[in-house]
């Protein structure tokens, strides 16, 4: 590489003395390096005319290739430097508050093992807050439910799909069933998840089918919803991977079947940092559920 850089400097100045100064070496060292490369290539790169040097025809044909070699070497060096600096480039990840922690935690744990130098911060936010913070550059990525609006305005990387289930307290009469239809829930006591991004759609389906739900408890907090179901207040609709409280009974919801798709969302056109590049590779290689 030093010999190639010597040749390029000499071709630029057509003077060995100036080229040696550019390369921070003595002129004899530069001249020796140029001659060594000419021997390796099997033809003279320069014609010597006293103190004056000129590119030979062979030299002119070789120059673009030598320049490309240096460019590729510089790119490789920059890539290696960025890799070493991963620990100095934290990732700010936002997670929608209704996303279950267990599956995502398994992915993040594996990512940490293979990228131990990366700093990672995770914050829970509503859908609106996540979109705002992504747009403003306050987050690098967010884990959210995939919608048409997100696909139009953001760059979405699908992770997994999960169906909605009906969650019951222990010994609930409908817990004896393998699956539960929406019609069978009419008149049952209900715990309303106010933060659910699909809540309005479920309510519209209930109305269209004449299903009456009486909400005895409402909360935006997933933990409170599950705790109140477990305490026997009523049932709740939940994404299957969001059910975390031991003792709860869950059954698939049918007629209709409700499903949501989870995606990692980033800003289109925004360049990834080396740490984010590492995260995206891990996202693609991870064995997501389903």
């Amino acid at each position: 590489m030093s010999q190639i850089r010597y040749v390029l400097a000499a071709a630029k100045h057509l003077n060995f003395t100036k080229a040696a100064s550019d390369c921070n070496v003595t002129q004899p060292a530069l001249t020796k390096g140029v001659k060594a490369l000419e021997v390796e290539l099997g033809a003279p790169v320069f014609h010597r005319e006293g103190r004056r040097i000129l590119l030979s025809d062979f030299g002119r044909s070789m120059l673009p290739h030598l320049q490309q070699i240096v460019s590729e070497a510089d790119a490789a060096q920059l890539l290696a430097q960025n890799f070493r600096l991963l620990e100095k480039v934290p990732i700010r990840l936002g997670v929608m508050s209704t996303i279950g922690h267990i599956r995502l935690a398994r992915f993040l744990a594996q990512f940490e093992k293979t990228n131990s130098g990366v700093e990672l911060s995770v914050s829970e936010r509503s859908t609106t807050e996540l979109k705002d913070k992504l747009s403003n550059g306050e987050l690098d990525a967010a884990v959210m439910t995939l919608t048409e609006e997100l696909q139009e305005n953001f760059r979405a990387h699908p992770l997994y799909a999960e169906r909605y289930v009906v969650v019951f307290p222990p010994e609930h009469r409908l817990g004896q069933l393998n699956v539960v239809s929406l019609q069978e829930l009419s008149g049952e006591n209900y715990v309303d998840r106010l933060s659910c991004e699909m809540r309005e759609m479920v309510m519209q389906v209930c109305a269209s089918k004449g299903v009456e739900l009486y909400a005895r408890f409402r909360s935006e907090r997933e933990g409170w919803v599950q705790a109140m179901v477990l305490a026997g207040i009523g049932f709740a609709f939940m994404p299957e991977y969001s059910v975390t409280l031991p003792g709860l009974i869950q059954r698939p919801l049918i007629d209709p079947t409700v499903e949501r798709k989870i995606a990692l969302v980033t800003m289109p056109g925004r360049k990834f940092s080396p740490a984010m590049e590492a995260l995206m590779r891990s996202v693609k290689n991870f064995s997501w559920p389903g």
Side-chain angles (χ1 to χ4, degrees):
M1 289 306 305
S2 295
Q3 294 169 1
I4 292 174
R5 293 184 191 277
Y6 295 165
V7 167
L8 291 177
K12 175 183 177 182
H13 295 287
L14 294 179
N15 183 289
F16 282 158
T17 301
K18 293 181 179 179
S21 177
D22 266 10
C23 296
N24 294 315
V25 296
T26 64
Q27 181 179 332
L30 183 133
T31 302
K32 182 179 179 180
V34 170
K35 288 182 178 178
L37 185 61
E38 289 177 322
V39 170
E40 183 71 19
L41 295 176
V45 176
F46 297 100
H47 292 308
R48 281 80 168 170
E49 297 179 359
R51 295 183 177 180
R52 185 184 178 201
I53 60 171
L54 297 172
L55 274 170
S56 66
D57 291 338
F58 174 74
R60 277 191 292 271
S61 67
M62 287 300 299
L63 204 60
H65 301 287
L66 298 180
Q67 288 170 334
Q68 183 176 354
I69 290 172
V70 170
S71 296
E72 290 291 340
D74 290 342
Q77 188 175 28
L78 179 61
L79 180 62
Q81 181 182 6
N82 287 341
F83 218 89
R84 291 194 301 270
L85 292 176
L86 279 178
E87 60 187 61
K88 298 181 181 179
V89 187
I91 296 175
R92 301 161 300 172
L93 180 66
V95 180
M96 195 171 62
S97 57
T98 64
I99 299 290
H101 301 89
I102 296 177
R103 268 72 183 179
L104 191 58
R106 289 173 182 168
F107 162 71
L108 295 178
Q110 179 173 308
F111 174 72
E112 194 279 333
K113 287 180 181 178
T114 54
N115 301 273
S116 58
V118 176
E119 297 177 4
L120 180 65
S121 64
V122 178
S123 57
E124 279 192 350
R125 294 287 188 273
S126 67
T127 300
T128 301
E129 289 176 313
L130 291 176
K131 290 189 292 187
D132 289 343
K133 288 183 177 296
L134 277 172
S135 300
N136 296 334
E138 297 177 55
L139 289 175
D140 299 303
V143 181
M144 306 170 65
T145 297
L146 185 59
T147 62
E148 291 184 4
E149 187 268 338
L150 277 181
Q151 290 178 302
E152 291 175 358
N153 299 291
F154 295 88
R155 183 167 48 186
H157 314 269
L159 303 180
Y160 60 89
E162 61 179 331
R163 60 187 177 179
Y164 269 63
V165 297
V166 186
V167 183
F168 299 110
E171 309 302 328
H172 193 283
R173 66 179 187 85
L174 294 178
Q176 304 300 317
L177 302 176
N178 292 324
V179 295
V180 178
S181 68
L182 192 60
Q183 199 67 47
E184 290 170 309
L185 297 170
S186 186
E188 292 288 332
N189 292 329
Y190 172 56
V191 177
D192 196 355
R193 295 172 60 246
L194 297 177
S195 61
C196 178
E197 70 279 6
M198 302 183 74
R199 179 177 179 273
E200 293 303 318
M201 183 273 288
V202 173
M203 294 299 102
Q204 289 174 6
V205 173
C206 288
S208 68
K209 291 181 175 290
V211 175
E212 296 181 1
L213 298 178
Y214 173 62
R216 294 187 61 196
F217 183 84
R218 294 181 173 89
S219 178
E220 296 181 348
R221 299 289 297 274
E222 298 291 282
W224 270 108
V225 168
Q226 294 185 58
M228 296 307 286
V229 172
L230 188 61
I233 295 297
F235 78 91
F237 298 114
M238 294 194 68
E240 60 181 320
Y241 299 141
S242 296
V243 182
T244 57
L245 205 58
L248 289 174
I249 300 172
Q250 56 175 298
R251 296 290 182 264
L253 175 65
I254 62 169
D255 190 25
T257 299
V258 180
E259 183 182 79
R260 71 174 181 178
K261 296 180 180 179
I262 304 301
L264 182 72
V265 180
T266 58
M267 284 299 297
R270 186 171 293 170
K271 187 177 180 181
F272 290 150
S273 68
M276 269 299 297
E277 290 281 6
L279 181 71
M280 297 308 300
R281 288 194 297 271
S282 296
V283 163
K284 293 177 182 178
N285 295 330
F286 187 72
S287 297
W288 295 99

